[in-house]
């Protein structure tokens, strides 16, 4: 494979185009207008310039990388690509329509891939004749920095397609982890309860946004979850939480704060205003919070870093039970995709975190939060089984892992 098409020159699309061009692929970057593609190319130039500044790249190489990126506003421009990664807005109809068009346009051998955060790969594949040549390739923001890319086979994906997808991810110097096709796949399924719980804690006034983010940084996370929501985009949150709620019900409530911020035009870093404005909370944000509290009657709930991490742990147990990935891959994916803290031996991830604290303690804390905050904390049955078996984690040298 040499020619990769990327549809959508936004944050994710431009990141994917950049890393693939850096690995030597010829890129065709497509978006609806010249202005949008140019904006994407500017992002790539800026990111590469940062690497030149840091001495990681020489400027001649930067120019060579940029010359490998060809731009187009027409779908026909993608005709000769051997693999096409779509990274447009999280809208199933929109994505399905694009893939239908590509199906008629490209060689039947061309692999079609979606970089969706939460939508069903199997459903998208069902709309194209080449469903065996379709899969999910899910990247993490910021794409040039985060080392993981999930590979998600749909029910129809051929083994050969999955292997080519894995090979592509390796060639662009990312670590591929294969995850089953379910809403949010592996990493978003585990990180979204965490990012969502931070929004619930903020809207309830459990702590201020700064206190929440500082607490998580003190717990070892590379950035606070609210700053993360601003970086990923409040609009992305608004479009990714409903499919998770649809998939998993009450365990994935949609935090109303996302919706209210979007209504106020606060999209996060991309609009200069989200939860934070230049790293601080402003009066408009405080007004939004006040209004949510007066409408819901819920305020000043309990806050601790554990409240947020336990939601990740419980969802990781769901993923383990459903064999979305192995325990090792679940933890590795969370470290490489989101910077989940690791210990001095490089061990980390939600399942290791639970083993470290003791699964009996984890069960007890989940029960506590279930009683005080609601059923989204309901401990998974598998966790109860581990505790019943005496597999309590590191202290007895057996939990989710053996020590
Ligand atoms: N392009 C190129 N390089 C970049 C970059 C970019 N856009 N952003 C940061 N970097 C580089 C910096 O130059 C720096 O390089 P050096 O270490 O060589 O100096 C390095 O990355 C670290 O950056 P910073 O020093 O600026 O900041 P930091 O140490 O605080 O790290 C971070 C920033 C990498 C974003 C880190 O905070 C982090 O890992 N955060 C977690 C991000 C995360 O969870 N992402 C997943 C979100 S979920 C998702 O994306 C899925 C979805 O479907 C939307």
């Amino acid at each position: 494979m040499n020619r990769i098409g990327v549809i959508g020159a936004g944050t994710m699309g431009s990141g994917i185009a950049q890393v693939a061009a850096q690995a030597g692929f010829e890129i065709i970057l497509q978006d609806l207008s010249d202005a949008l593609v140019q904006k994407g190319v500017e992002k790539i130039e800026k990111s590469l310039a940062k690497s030149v500044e840091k001495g990681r790249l020489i400027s001649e190489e930067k120019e060579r990388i940029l010359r490998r990126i060809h731009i187009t506003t027409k779908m026909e421009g993608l005709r000769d690509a051997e693999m096409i990664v779509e990274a447009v807005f999280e809208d199933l109809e929109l994505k399905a329509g694009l893939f239908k068009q590509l199906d008629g346009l490209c060689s039947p051998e061309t692999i079609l891939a979606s970089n969706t955060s939460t939508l069903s790969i199997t459903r998208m594949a069902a709309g194209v004749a080449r469903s065996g040549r379709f899969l999910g390739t899910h990247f993490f923001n910021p794409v040039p920095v985060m080392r993981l890319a999930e590979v998600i086979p749909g029910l129809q994906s051929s083994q050969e397609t999955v292997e080519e997808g894995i090979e592509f991810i390796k060639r662009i110097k990312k670590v591929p982890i294969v995850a089953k096709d379910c809403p949010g796949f592996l990493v978003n399924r585990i990180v979204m309860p965490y990012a969502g719980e931070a929004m619930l804690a903020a809207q309830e006034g459990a702590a201020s946004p700064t206190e929440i983010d500082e607490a998580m940084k003190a717990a070892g996370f590379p950035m606070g979850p609210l700053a993360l929501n601003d970086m990923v985009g409040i609009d992305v949150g608004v479009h990714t939480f409903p499919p998770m709620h649809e998939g998993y019900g009450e365990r994935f409530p949609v935090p109303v704060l996302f919706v209210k911020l979007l209504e106020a035009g606060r999209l996060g870093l991309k609009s200069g205003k989200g939860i934070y404005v230049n790293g601080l909370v402003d009066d408009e944000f405080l007004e939004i919070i006040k209004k949510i509290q007066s409408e819901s009657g819920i305020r000043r709930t309990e806050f601790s870093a554990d409240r947020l991490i336990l939601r990740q742990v419980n969802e990781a147990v769901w993923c383990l039970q459903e064999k979305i990935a192995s325990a090792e891959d679940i933890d590795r994916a969370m470290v490489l995709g989101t910077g989940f803290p690791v210990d001095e031996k490089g061990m980390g991830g939600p399942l290791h975190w639970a083993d470290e604290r003791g699964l009996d303690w984890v069960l007890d804390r989940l029960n506590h939060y279930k009683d005080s905050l609601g059923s989204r904390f309901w401990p998974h049955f598998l966790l109860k089984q581990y505790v019943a078996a005496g597999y309590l984690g590191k202290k007895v040298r057996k939990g989710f892992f053996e020590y």
Side-chain angles (χ1 to χ4, degrees):
M1 261 194 305
N2 281 313
R3 289 174 75 80
I4 305 294
V6 178
I7 307 186
T11 309
M12 299 307 282
S14 64
I16 296 164
Q18 177 186 332
V19 292
Q22 279 180 275
F25 286 99
E26 290 294 320
I27 308 299
I28 310 147
L29 180 59
Q30 190 271 350
D31 210 320
L32 289 177
S33 69
D34 277 329
L36 287 172
V37 223
Q38 280 309 339
K39 220 168 143 190
V41 173
E42 275 162 33
K43 270 195 215 123
I44 297 172
E45 274 184 315
K46 235 171 147 177
S47 176
L48 292 173
K50 217 169 162 183
S51 296
V52 173
E53 223 173 85
K54 297 219 159 142
R56 284 193 302 246
L57 196 71
I58 55 168
S59 48
E60 289 81 356
E61 182 57 14
K62 174 184 158 220
E63 295 311 316
R64 272 198 290 277
I65 294 166
L66 288 171
R67 277 200 296 276
R68 285 188 209 117
I69 301 173
H70 313 278
I71 58 174
T72 180
T73 54
K74 305 259 179 316
M75 291 295 276
E76 286 73 23
L78 297 157
R79 194 188 296 272
D80 298 331
E82 289 149 286
M83 175 167 174
I84 299 175
V85 184
E86 158 283 314
V88 304
F89 206 60
E90 285 292 278
D91 178 325
L92 189 65
E93 302 278 298
L94 173 66
K95 287 177 191 271
L98 287 175
F99 285 123
K100 223 178 184 59
Q101 250 180 294
L102 292 172
D103 206 22
L105 194 67
C106 303
S107 142
E109 281 308 302
T110 301
I111 296 180
L112 301 183
S114 175
N115 176 67
T116 175
S117 298
T118 54
L119 300 172
S120 164
I121 299 300
T122 300
R123 263 173 87 173
M124 279 186 250
V128 294
R130 73 188 67 210
S131 55
R133 296 291 280 164
F134 194 101
L135 84 170
T137 48
H138 183 223
F139 291 82
F140 297 86
N141 191 351
V143 180
V145 185
M146 305 316 285
R147 291 183 55 215
L148 177 73
E150 291 173 317
V151 174
I152 305 112
L155 287 182
Q156 314 90 326
S157 307
S158 73
Q159 189 54 31
E160 192 191 11
T161 303
V162 176
E163 278 160 21
E164 285 178 61
I166 292 172
E167 194 51 37
F168 167 67
I169 299 299
K170 285 186 182 162
R171 277 180 67 188
I172 60 173
K173 300 192 172 58
K174 298 284 175 200
V175 179
I177 287 186
V178 178
K180 276 194 191 156
D181 185 19
C182 62
F185 318 119
L186 179 57
V187 171
N188 276 357
R189 189 165 160 182
I190 298 173
V191 83
M192 286 173 70
Y194 163 78
E197 195 61 34
M199 293 298 260
L200 292 173
Q203 77 185 37
E204 292 164 2
S208 73
T210 314
E211 284 165 341
I212 293 170
D213 276 356
E214 287 304 321
M216 301 324 296
K217 283 200 280 182
F221 289 83
M223 69 196 295
L226 298 171
L228 178 65
N229 286 336
D230 268 353
M231 182 180 84
V232 168
I234 299 299
D235 52 334
V236 174
V238 169
H239 288 96
T240 51
F241 270 83
M244 300 298 280
H245 179 68
E246 160 73 21
Y248 305 113
E250 290 310 310
R251 202 163 84 245
F252 277 79
V254 182
V256 67
L257 180 54
F258 270 121
V259 181
K260 298 289 179 200
L261 287 170
L262 184 71
E263 280 170 7
R266 300 172 71 117
L267 307 188
L269 284 190
K270 66 180 91 166
S271 71
K273 235 181 176 193
I275 297 154
Y276 296 107
V277 184
N278 296 324
L280 297 170
V281 166
D282 66 357
D283 289 344
E284 186 185 47
F285 177 85
L286 294 175
E287 273 310 308
I288 291 172
I289 294 285
K290 229 160 115 190
K291 194 147 180 271
I292 294 174
Q293 289 177 9
S294 76
E295 279 167 9
S296 69
I298 305 173
R299 65 178 60 149
R300 298 224 172 85
T301 51
E302 181 183 340
F303 177 73
S304 73
D306 296 343
R307 170 176 169 180
L308 274 54
I309 302 171
L310 284 164
R311 296 249 356 246
Q312 297 204 53
V313 171
N314 206 34
E315 201 56 37
V317 181
W318 275 90
C319 290
L320 190 63
Q321 171 77 11
E322 291 175 14
K323 298 190 168 55
I324 302 303
S326 66
E328 287 78 9
D329 277 355
I330 290 172
D331 271 11
R332 216 155 52 96
M334 294 310 293
V335 171
L336 298 173
T338 70
F340 196 104
V342 293
D343 65 17
E344 62 289 348
K345 289 190 191 134
M347 305 290 250
L351 297 175
H352 269 108
W353 186 92
D355 270 0
E356 193 74 46
R357 269 136 197 95
L359 300 194
D360 46 347
W361 178 86
V362 168
L363 179 57
D364 180 61
R365 295 314 292 163
L366 279 168
N367 273 322
H368 165 77
Y369 283 119
K370 168 181 70 93
D371 294 342
S372 59
L373 296 173
S375 63
R376 62 186 184 276
F377 285 92
W378 202 289
H380 192 283
F381 186 68
L382 182 62
L383 179 65
K384 297 179 186 170
Q385 297 281 67
Y386 272 76
V387 173
Y391 302 157
L392 302 182
K394 215 168 174 184
K395 62 187 167 190
V396 297
R397 298 167 70 183
K398 190 173 169 69
F400 292 119
F401 299 95
E402 294 201 1
Y403 298 87

